[in-house]
Amino acid sequence: MTAIRFANATQKDATAITDCINAAYLSAREYLTDLPDVTAGIDQDIADNRVVIAVSDDRLAGVIIFARHGAEMKVFNLAVSPKAQGQGIAGKLLARAEAEAREAGCTLMVLRTHRLMRDTRAIYAHLGWIESEVSGNSVAMQKTLEAD
């Protein structure tokens, strides 16, 4: 397995992040007609939120976008390039966000995903997330952060 390097995203990474997210969601877009444009506003996300990228072989392999909201750390997007899937990158990116959440005193991680993205929901469940609400095609998930 190639070594994965993590870095804070800069505006120079916006195009690569958009490409990574588009590739990660490509198959889902084929059957999810109500999936929102998850690449809109990447430049603003980099300016306003925490955006961490995973780099492998000098290519962007994954990205996580998150921000603190009170006692919660909200994950806005998590994407791994199809070529890099299966290497644990999603879990490592989430672990970085969780570590920052704990440092910031957050007690809960939250996110939303699509009801029909079963593989995605399964990955989150495997990583300790629970489904807290289902409304239409939106599934709210959360992970309680225990004190270290």
Side-chain angles (χ1 to χ4, degrees):
M1 181 183 341
T2 303
I4 306 296
R5 178 175 56 83
F6 297 94
N8 295 324
T10 68
Q11 292 298 334
K12 293 178 185 176
D13 299 311
T15 298
I17 290 169
T18 299
D19 292 346
C20 177
I21 294 171
N22 277 329
Y25 283 85
L26 184 63
S27 64
R29 288 182 200 276
E30 293 176 5
Y31 66 92
L32 300 176
T33 58
D34 62 343
L35 191 65
D37 179 3
V38 291
T39 61
I42 294 298
D43 290 327
Q44 198 63 48
D45 281 330
I46 293 170
D48 295 346
N49 302 307
R50 290 283 294 121
V51 181
V52 177
I53 56 174
V55 179
S56 175
D57 292 329
D58 294 324
R59 287 195 299 227
L60 195 136
V63 60
I64 188 167
I65 302 169
F66 59 100
R68 182 180 179 178
H69 289 270
E72 298 178 349
M73 188 68 79
K74 183 172 184 175
V75 176
F76 297 108
N77 205 334
L78 173 66
V80 176
S81 168
K83 293 178 182 178
Q85 290 176 4
Q87 299 178 40
I89 293 171
K92 291 173 184 170
L93 286 166
L94 281 166
R96 292 181 74 85
E98 286 179 31
E100 287 193 31
R102 282 189 176 89
E103 278 183 30
C106 295
T107 57
L108 193 67
M109 300 274 301
V110 297
L111 62 80
R112 286 198 170 272
T113 191
H114 197 284
R115 179 179 60 85
L116 298 178
M117 294 180 76
R118 290 180 182 90
D119 290 346
T120 300
R121 290 167 66 189
I123 289 168
Y124 287 124
H126 175 74
L127 295 172
W129 292 71
I130 61 166
E131 294 184 5
S132 56
E133 175 190 1
V134 178
S135 176
N137 279 332
S138 178
V139 178
M141 300 187 79
Q142 65 183 34
K143 182 173 184 178
T144 301
L145 300 177
E146 305 297 330
D148 286 338

